[in-house]
Amino acid sequence: MQNATLAQWFEELADRLEIQGANPFRVRAYRNAARTFADHPEPLAEIVSAGRSLQELPGIGQDLADKAATLITTGSLPQLEELRAQIPQGVLDMLRIPGLGPKKAAVLFHELAITSLDQLRAAAESGAVAGLKGFGKKTAQAILEGLQLAAAAGERVYLAEAKAVSDEIVAGLLTVPGVYQAAAAGSVRRRNETIGDLDVLATAADSAAAMDFLAAHALVEKVLARGDTKQRVRLKSGLELDLRVVADASYGAALQYFTGSKEHNILVRKRALERGLKINEYGVYRDDILVAGHTEDDVYAAIGLPWIPPELREGQREMELAETGRLPRLIELADIRGDLHSHTTATDGQATIREMIAAAQRRGLEYFAITDHSKRVTMANGLDADRLRAHWREIEQVRRDFSGIEVLRGIECDILEDATLDLDDEVLAEADWVVAVLHYGLKQPAEQVTRRLLSAIANPYVSVIGHPTARIVGKRPPVAANMEDVLKAAADQGVMMEINAHPSRLDLDDVLAASAKTLGIPLVISTDAHSVNGFDVMQYGVYQARRAGLEAADVANTRPWHEFRQLLHRRRG
Ligand code: DGT
Ligand code: CA
Ligand code: CA
């Protein structure tokens, strides 16, 4: 079991306890534990199997340690099962509605007996929600809007969560005697932002062994269907998974077929037909004779194409690029040399300057920027000019203790509602790196929010626009700005654009990142790390960049430090 899975279960415990009205301190303890587990660098399952106690983790007492160990070893916990029986899943689903926390969900459940999102919509429309104490018309309206957003996102989960589970199951399958190959297919392999269900493919001497293994897996709640070659299961998280077990000779054809997308497969099939070939999940056939299927390379070669990276298989321009030999050499995680957005305990980060530098160095970064919040973000204890200068002095002190890594004194500076910046030019001029961002006034009309981005871009001290559209995947729409104008201005002024790698942001998205590339704007992929483990999300930014067709040369933080440093300050004249 991965640490992230255990952390999710503790979050679920906390959510359910909070809905139940448990003591807030107790709820807090579960949430803190979830964070501690998620951030712990060593696999917790190994600590437990080595006979060590989880009490060695900070803030984990005997009770939490015992519960975590039970979950790790058995995949379940009586307390969790009990809570699951008491609180219907539909009540927990309400927590996905923006603005609806456990307290409000509890009131809706207890006062109006609402146990599904459909019932919630009906109650919000009928005025029953507005009539509840502490709710009112405004809240009811916000709930209706939130329901709409959640419906658009469906039951989909973030790639990060889905991929962790998929990787764990694939790794498990590979240990089953008689299983030869196993891999993720579907939208996980294409690295989509959100995932509807998991698709896993295997080849095996004995398909029953693979299916039995899955049926008994700690993450699996229930087998929904089982045939000779296909099994569908529901995981305890609610996510569903399709396992297909095929013959070795069909592995490539099946991997190609089940990786999709549907749109890409339609183009593949059409191309096969044009060449007198038939293609399906078992192979490529000419006059019913198998001509390819063992590997994906063979399958694409049979239709006269080079292998196409899964991230590009969306039925957009990939066939044309493949046909003309112009497929990009997509950027890889290993190309990344720097990280240019991170936080420390000076604002809302969880690790000190020293801990963050050490962690960045352990990950082999050549350079990284500490960019704590500016004062407008009071909730995060944002920095005013005086505190920022003191913070930078501290960074200067601490960085002397490290060699082989460049530490930039940065700032994540808010672009205020009136289009001015949260800190004066005089202060920004002292920074090594300025990330300008929108955090407030995100619902402003297009004209104003565009004006804000343009004026930040015009400021000579701004290095990059961070999470430029401020969207939250599946939860908050992008700002209404005219991004075409914004990107053109950035290209003119030499301001970079961020691909924020956090799985809930991925902002710029693939389409806008591709536009930025076309305009020649250097992109930076940054983690926005708030803890030492926050650096782990870099991969999701790289996946998004790959979906945008970016090569290493399109991304500024693939450059070695001596090249990257030349990009700093060149706008200041
Ligand atoms: P998801 O699960 O909504 O995130 O997206 P996918 O792409 O994983 O979709 P899914 O799980 O329904 O199917 C996995 C792949 O299997 C899909 O990408 C292509 C292939 N596939 C499934 N059904 C069909 C179909 O009816 N026609 C074709 N051509 N391919 C299909
Ligand atoms: Ca799928
Ligand atoms: Ca599926």
Side-chain angles (χ1 to χ4, degrees):
M1 177 186 306
Q2 299 202 350
N3 295 359
T5 308
L6 184 70
Q8 272 168 35
W9 281 342
F10 269 74
E11 282 291 353
E12 185 186 337
L13 278 165
D15 286 343
R16 289 183 183 272
L17 283 168
E18 196 166 358
I19 291 170
Q20 211 188 35
N23 178 327
F25 291 102
R26 189 152 162 250
V27 174
R28 183 91 261 157
Y30 280 85
R31 291 207 196 284
N32 289 341
R35 193 177 264 193
T36 303
F37 294 149
D39 284 349
H40 198 70
E42 196 184 348
L44 298 170
E46 278 175 26
I47 297 184
V48 171
S49 66
R52 283 154 58 201
S53 166
L54 294 174
Q55 286 187 68
E56 64 187 62
L57 271 66
I60 304 297
Q62 174 152 15
D63 180 50
L64 293 171
D66 287 348
K67 284 175 176 156
T70 305
L71 276 166
I72 287 170
T73 47
T74 69
S76 78
L77 183 74
Q79 180 194 13
L80 181 57
E81 301 308 328
E82 208 170 291
L83 283 164
R84 280 177 175 160
Q86 288 164 355
I87 300 159
Q89 180 59 36
V91 180
L92 221 66
D93 291 346
M94 290 189 222
L95 303 184
R96 292 201 329 245
I97 309 301
L100 243 185
K103 286 204 186 69
K104 285 208 167 73
V107 175
L108 292 163
F109 176 43
H110 293 305
E111 304 284 321
L112 299 178
I114 292 173
T115 58
S116 76
L117 297 185
D118 285 341
Q119 291 172 0
L120 176 61
R121 181 190 314 279
E125 282 167 355
S126 75
V129 170
L132 283 173
K133 193 164 168 252
F135 279 65
K137 273 206 177 110
K138 242 179 137 175
T139 306
Q141 186 54 35
I143 287 175
L144 281 172
E145 282 166 18
L147 276 166
Q148 225 163 17
L149 269 173
E155 301 283 314
R156 304 180 70 84
V157 305
Y158 290 151
L159 174 64
E161 181 186 337
K163 184 172 177 293
V165 173
S166 175
D167 285 351
E168 186 170 345
I169 288 173
V170 167
L173 278 168
L174 287 168
T175 67
V176 176
V179 169
Y180 307 133
Q181 302 182 80
S187 49
V188 168
R189 185 160 181 244
R190 302 198 313 280
R191 313 299 194 215
N192 285 10
E193 295 170 354
T194 63
I195 304 300
D197 73 358
L198 304 181
D199 300 278
V200 171
L201 184 68
T203 63
D206 173 15
S207 71
M211 291 186 188
D212 290 346
F213 167 83
L214 182 63
H217 198 284
L219 291 172
V220 171
E221 178 185 283
K222 192 175 173 197
V223 174
L224 299 172
R226 178 166 172 166
D228 288 340
T229 61
K230 182 175 162 172
Q231 184 178 31
R232 186 166 177 86
V233 299
R234 183 162 57 231
L235 306 177
K236 288 174 179 157
S237 66
L239 201 58
E240 296 185 1
L241 179 150
D242 285 321
L243 170 68
R244 277 122 180 152
V245 188
V246 302
D248 228 25
S250 293
Y251 184 67
L255 188 57
Q256 195 289 318
Y257 182 89
F258 292 116
T259 295
S261 65
K262 254 179 213 165
E263 293 72 18
H264 175 79
N265 285 354
I266 288 168
L267 299 175
V268 165
R269 208 159 43 229
K270 182 161 160 273
R271 200 176 159 89
L273 284 174
E274 285 164 5
R275 284 165 173 66
L277 298 165
K278 223 181 68 192
I279 193 166
N280 59 30
E281 62 265 49
Y282 301 106
V284 186
Y285 300 85
R286 184 181 298 282
D287 304 328
D288 290 334
I289 296 169
L290 184 74
V291 297
H294 193 61
T295 70
E296 269 195 336
D297 272 344
D298 300 345
V299 171
Y300 283 103
I303 56 170
L305 293 178
W307 181 82
I308 299 175
E311 292 92 334
L312 298 179
R313 300 184 196 171
E314 296 294 347
Q316 306 290 322
R317 294 180 55 223
E318 71 270 20
M319 298 302 258
E320 180 196 330
L321 294 174
E323 197 164 49
T324 54
R326 286 182 297 135
L327 280 175
R329 234 192 81 102
L330 298 180
I331 180 174
E332 290 173 15
L333 183 58
D335 294 324
I336 297 290
R337 294 171 187 257
D339 191 344
L340 294 146
H341 190 158
S342 73
H343 296 269
T344 71
T345 46
T347 60
D348 59 352
Q350 292 174 44
T352 61
I353 294 169
R354 186 175 299 279
E355 288 164 343
M356 289 300 275
I357 300 177
Q361 192 173 44
R362 272 201 304 277
R363 277 156 217 260
L365 291 176
E366 284 180 33
Y367 47 98
F368 105 106
I370 294 177
T371 55
D372 274 299
H373 287 287
S374 64
K375 63 182 190 290
R376 173 61 209 269
V377 192
T378 44
M379 233 170 42
N381 193 22
L383 303 166
D384 61 19
D386 288 344
R387 283 183 58 219
L388 178 58
R389 286 186 171 115
H391 176 54
W392 281 341
R393 278 195 297 276
E394 193 184 339
I395 293 173
E396 268 168 40
Q397 282 287 329
V398 176
R399 72 182 176 189
R400 287 191 199 133
D401 296 342
F402 294 84
S403 60
I405 183 161
E406 295 295 332
V407 182
L408 304 185
R409 297 165 315 137
I411 178 75
E412 176 174 5
C413 181
D414 259 63
I415 309 167
L416 303 179
E417 287 92 324
D418 67 358
T420 60
L421 289 176
D422 196 17
L423 292 165
D424 293 337
D425 282 5
E426 180 187 282
V427 191
L428 297 180
E430 296 166 25
D432 299 322
W433 181 254
V434 177
V435 185
V437 296
L438 300 170
H439 279 135
Y440 299 95
L442 302 179
K443 291 186 181 157
Q444 284 181 340
E447 200 186 341
Q448 177 60 8
V449 78
T450 305
R451 199 162 76 83
R452 288 165 73 187
L453 287 166
L454 292 179
S455 76
I457 287 168
N459 182 297
Y461 304 108
V462 168
S463 318
V464 64
I465 305 294
H467 43 73
T469 76
R471 66 131 176 201
I472 301 291
V473 177
K475 297 210 170 84
R476 186 167 75 202
V479 292
N482 180 335
M483 290 306 288
E484 203 181 317
D485 287 357
V486 169
L487 292 181
K488 276 190 195 135
D492 284 349
Q493 302 278 334
V495 168
M496 302 189 208
M497 282 282 151
E498 179 181 271
I499 296 178
N500 190 290
H502 197 277
S504 69
R505 286 198 182 266
L506 299 175
D507 182 12
L508 299 175
D509 70 8
D510 54 338
V511 174
L512 287 170
S515 305
K517 171 190 161 107
T518 308
L519 289 165
I521 300 169
L523 290 132
V524 292
I525 308 177
S526 302
T527 61
D528 205 346
H530 282 69
S531 67
V532 297
N533 285 69
F535 292 115
D536 288 342
V537 303
M538 183 59 87
Q539 56 181 314
Y540 304 105
V542 172
Y543 299 147
Q544 188 75 326
R546 289 171 63 87
R547 286 165 46 73
L550 302 192
E551 305 194 342
D554 301 318
V555 175
N557 53 319
T558 62
R559 302 189 192 188
W561 168 245
H562 67 88
E563 283 179 30
F564 185 85
R565 69 183 301 174
Q566 288 165 16
L567 301 175
L568 299 174
H569 309 322
R570 71 192 162 139
R571 308 179 48 237
R572 298 183 180 184

